[in-house]
Amino acid sequence: MARYAARRLLAMIPTMLVMLFIVVSLTRFLPGNIIDLMLTGSSAQVTPAMRAQVSERLGLNKSLPQQYGEYVLGVSHGDLGNSLWDGRSVSTMVIDRASVTGEVAAVAILVSVLISIPLGVISAVKQDSPLDYGLRSMSIAGISLPNFVVAQAIVVLPALWWQTAIPFQYKSFLEDPVINMTIVLPAAGVLGLRLSASIARMMRTTMLDIMQQDYIRTAKSKGLTSFTVIVRHGLKNALIPVVTLLGLQLSALIGGSVVTESLFALPGIGRLLLDAITARDYPIIQGVVVSVGFFVMITNLAVDLSYGFLDPRIRYS
Amino acid sequence: MARETAISTGNARGVDRKNRGFLHELWKFVSRKPFGAFGAAMTLLLVVTAIFAPVIAHFDPLATDQTSVLLPPGADHLAGTDQFGRDVFSRLVYGARVSLFVGLGASFLALIPGIVIGIMSAYFRGLFDYIVQRVVDAVQAIPGIILLIAIMVVLGGSLVNVIIALALPRAISSSRVMRGSTMQISNSEYVTAARALGADDARIMIRHILPNIVSPIIVIVSLGFGEFILAEATLSFLGYGIQPPAPSWGGMLSVEGRAYMFAAPWLLWGPAIALSLVVFGVNMFGDALRDVLDPRLRGTR
């Protein structure tokens, strides 16, 4: 197990190197002069000295291998460079903002699991009943509704119908739990709704499959209550695909936070990215992409390793 | 003699059954996969609207009219007008063109490189495959929308650039599916036979492998189509996609819709409904297609 984990961790290094290469070369390979792009919109007169300074900070005055090498070296020390305009450390900024995105993502996962697992199980147990069809239609609709349409509706509808609006002043949970939750819950709800739709579909399919297994029939014929059979024997075995799905959807969840954070004025990673783009602060954009990518890779590994705990029959080699 | 009659009546009945067969098959499809049928209808509606946009829309989607600003939906303007007096219905209709164009454009642009990389990766294996697979891992680790925004910032917002930005990561990540399918086939006996007969690599890849991975290709295209439409709308909504005044549903929701969401909420309903129905329809159609073409992939989403 430990050896397997270590091997998987080592295998992440080449992938990480490729990702850093993509991120570094984005500033180089794509058409258009990145420095001109960055300096358009700045009010000051663009002097050759400014260009030289920007190009030095971006590492564009060096050769690509040298720029790449230095970036890799920095990242391996946890240094993602500094903001172009105010010189603050990108790593610190990302870590500061991560708590907000993390909170929303955690609440979203909680919401989705609480909604979808009971719905998926009910749908499977009452297969092909009107209830099943209703729940399935709802979950398909949930997958199809674009995040930003739902988010927009949550912003607009209360104001149209009840003349109230969500207070768009983020406070951390420790500062003011009530205000924190009034913003975090709707944002997490938007992301969680979509997630719960896919989990419910997955849950239904898996439960249908499991409920036909021999050990379920054995459990039933032992005279156990149907609740015990469904929860203890069925549900427990249906959770592994859900964990996999959660791991796979984490990337979509962070992607979705770009939309919700911009609509609900949440100061998270997504907002950091959008603000950095407005300011053309390239080191921050690179830093966000790298840290999100790294986080997704680590969680995927954690998901793979968790199978062993969830199902002792699974062994790693 | 008797035998002949039997055969001929059999034939006649066969023809008759064939005619009835199409409607019958259609009905069977509709009743067995109602969502798939609805999705097919929605996809068809999108295509028809996009092609006949100038006939369906009565106004120029870009023409402003200061005398009819922010009118609610009515007889003249079916979906109302926006703050520049542009007809929202006409903009929605032309927006269908943008969606279809992005969906088709990105699908086809991603297709060829995806297939080529996938087949070559599976066929040659070794170092080439290893490097390609690490690139796929890296691209898949970055959330799609974040990668898209990063590419769009460098490319700049325009219809063609949106298509390029959508197709690029897709070509890379879809190559893994092509690779998987190719691996299964390249071990099969007819590939060995072809090689024994002296066929070169290119011939084996094009004549023997490609025709056998057509189903996963169709499935990938049909599932990608809806994702592209949604991604374009999201990009345009955030302001990095198609630039105003060009009509894009995502852009209409944010540029016009958000500014007047309380004074003129109809600016939101149109694009929201159009986008949701089309994404839903295209996804359902893709799902049904996948069930028919590749049962192994069922429930993978």
Side-chain angles (χ1 to χ4, degrees):
Chain A
M1 173 79 183
R3 282 188 61 178
Y4 175 78
R7 210 170 58 223
R8 286 285 307 270
L9 266 174
L10 283 178
M12 266 174 57
I13 293 174
T15 310
M16 201 60 204
L17 288 175
V18 170
M19 181 156 68
L20 292 177
F21 183 76
I22 295 174
V23 166
V24 169
S25 52
L26 259 182
T27 54
R28 291 241 182 189
F29 284 161
L30 293 166
N33 187 332
I34 195 90
I35 299 173
D36 284 341
L37 269 175
M38 288 183 59
L39 292 176
T40 45
S42 72
S43 50
Q45 190 71 36
V46 180
T47 60
M50 269 176 80
R51 299 179 133 274
Q53 195 192 359
V54 170
S55 135
E56 195 193 321
R57 286 231 195 140
L58 273 177
L60 292 181
N61 55 344
K62 301 172 193 116
S63 68
L64 179 64
Q66 199 184 355
Q67 183 196 0
Y68 176 63
E70 280 171 19
Y71 197 69
V72 170
L73 204 66
V75 171
S76 66
H77 290 83
D79 175 15
L80 293 168
N82 296 314
S83 158
L84 214 50
W85 305 126
D86 61 14
R88 285 168 60 204
S89 148
V90 174
S91 319
T92 321
M93 287 167 128
V94 168
I95 291 168
D96 283 350
R97 301 292 194 103
S99 62
V100 179
T101 307
E103 186 192 350
V104 175
V107 177
I109 289 177
L110 193 71
V111 168
S112 65
V113 166
L114 286 180
I115 299 175
S116 61
I117 291 190
L119 289 191
V121 171
I122 292 171
S123 213
V125 173
K126 306 268 175 211
Q127 189 189 4
D128 291 330
S129 66
L131 186 66
D132 178 27
Y133 278 109
L135 290 176
R136 277 162 72 193
S137 314
M138 263 169 55
S139 71
I140 294 170
I143 292 176
S144 300
L145 278 176
N147 268 339
F148 61 94
V149 170
V150 180
Q152 186 81 308
I154 291 182
V155 175
V156 175
L157 293 182
L160 278 181
W161 291 341
W162 308 298
Q163 276 75 43
T164 55
I166 300 164
F168 288 113
Q169 280 292 321
Y170 177 79
K171 293 247 167 67
S172 79
F173 190 78
L174 295 176
E175 265 178 291
D176 191 334
V178 179
I179 290 187
N180 176 274
M181 274 298 136
T182 49
I183 306 180
V184 168
L185 266 183
V190 171
L191 297 173
L193 185 79
R194 198 181 173 76
L195 192 57
S196 59
S198 18
I199 300 178
R201 282 183 86 181
M202 170 75 92
M203 198 67 215
R204 177 179 179 277
T205 327
T206 320
M207 274 303 272
L208 280 179
D209 189 35
I210 286 177
M211 293 307 279
Q212 281 164 8
Q213 300 289 325
D214 290 341
Y215 61 83
I216 294 290
R217 202 178 44 218
T218 311
K220 275 184 190 159
S221 51
K222 267 199 308 194
L224 296 178
T225 61
S226 50
F227 181 82
T228 314
V229 174
I230 290 167
V231 174
R232 289 284 301 276
H233 297 254
L235 186 60
K236 213 174 152 192
N237 283 295
L239 284 179
I240 285 188
V242 172
V243 173
T244 312
L245 190 68
L246 277 177
L248 288 175
Q249 293 281 328
L250 193 77
S251 161
L253 209 56
I254 297 176
S257 72
V258 175
V259 172
T260 48
E261 284 173 11
S262 104
L263 273 169
F264 293 107
L266 283 160
I269 296 271
R271 211 24 212 291
L272 178 67
L273 177 73
L274 294 181
D275 290 345
I277 287 169
T278 315
R280 303 246 175 236
D281 203 333
Y282 235 88
I284 299 184
I285 303 177
Q286 291 179 323
V288 168
V289 174
V290 169
S291 32
V292 168
F294 181 67
F295 181 68
V296 170
M297 283 199 270
I298 288 283
T299 16
N300 282 343
L301 176 60
V303 165
D304 281 357
L305 294 179
S306 73
Y307 297 154
F309 293 105
L310 291 173
D311 187 344
R313 284 170 301 183
I314 295 176
R315 284 276 162 266
Y316 301 97
S317 53
Chain B
M1 181 69 197
R3 208 181 194 176
E4 242 168 69
T5 349
I7 289 170
S8 67
T9 47
N11 268 349
R13 213 179 275 155
V15 170
D16 189 33
R17 199 174 283 156
K18 213 175 196 176
N19 272 336
R20 230 172 357 131
F22 176 70
L23 282 178
H24 183 69
E25 286 294 316
L26 190 70
W27 171 243
K28 234 168 73 182
F29 179 69
V30 170
S31 55
R32 199 177 294 165
K33 294 205 176 301
F35 286 122
F38 176 77
M42 278 295 131
T43 312
L44 194 67
L45 185 67
L46 173 76
V47 174
V48 170
T49 310
I51 293 175
F52 296 104
V55 185
I56 299 169
H58 293 294
F59 296 88
D60 179 345
L62 302 179
T64 57
D65 180 359
Q66 293 304 324
T67 59
S68 54
V69 171
L70 293 178
L71 292 177
D76 264 4
H77 300 283
L78 287 174
T81 60
D82 64 11
Q83 68 268 37
F84 302 112
R86 294 176 300 199
D87 181 51
V88 174
F89 181 73
S90 303
R91 287 179 70 71
L92 286 175
V93 168
Y94 277 90
R97 256 187 189 189
V98 171
S99 285
L100 184 71
F101 198 62
V102 166
L104 284 180
S107 298
F108 284 106
L109 194 61
L111 193 61
I112 309 282
I115 295 174
V116 171
I117 299 173
I119 294 184
M120 282 174 56
S121 207
Y123 194 82
F124 293 124
R125 313 212 179 171
L127 185 66
F128 177 77
D129 182 36
Y130 181 79
I131 294 172
V132 169
Q133 292 321 306
R134 296 296 78 76
V135 176
V136 177
D137 283 340
V139 167
Q140 284 184 339
I142 306 169
I145 191 75
I146 290 183
L147 187 60
L148 278 179
I149 293 174
I151 299 176
M152 285 309 293
V153 170
V154 184
L155 285 177
S158 79
L159 182 62
V160 175
N161 289 350
V162 168
I163 294 177
I164 295 173
L166 287 169
L168 214 61
R170 184 67 177 197
I172 295 170
S173 57
S174 70
S175 75
R176 182 162 283 174
V177 181
M178 317 290 183
R179 172 180 176 267
S181 306
T182 308
M183 285 211 161
Q184 286 179 342
I185 290 161
S186 56
N187 287 329
S188 64
E189 280 161 8
Y190 56 83
V191 171
T192 318
R195 196 172 292 133
L197 286 172
D200 57 14
D201 288 344
R203 188 182 165 85
I204 292 177
M205 281 190 254
I206 293 168
R207 291 295 298 272
H208 298 278
I209 291 176
L210 188 60
N212 284 297
I213 59 169
V214 166
S215 313
I217 291 174
I218 295 177
V219 170
I220 283 190
V221 169
S222 67
L223 292 179
F225 193 66
E227 282 171 31
F228 290 142
I229 292 179
L230 185 56
E232 178 274 315
T234 311
L235 273 180
S236 302
F237 179 82
L238 291 171
Y240 303 108
I242 286 155
Q243 299 300 306
S248 148
W249 292 340
M252 288 170 74
L253 262 172
S254 78
V255 181
E256 289 112 273
R258 271 161 105 181
Y260 295 91
M261 58 189 179
F262 302 120
W266 58 87
L267 293 177
L268 293 177
W269 306 146
I273 293 170
L275 189 62
S276 307
L277 278 182
V278 163
V279 172
F280 176 69
V282 169
N283 281 343
M284 284 305 101
F285 183 50
D287 264 10
L289 213 57
R290 175 180 59 185
D291 285 356
V292 174
L293 287 174
D294 200 343
R296 281 169 308 157
L297 289 173
R298 206 170 291 173
T300 46
R301 202 159 48 160

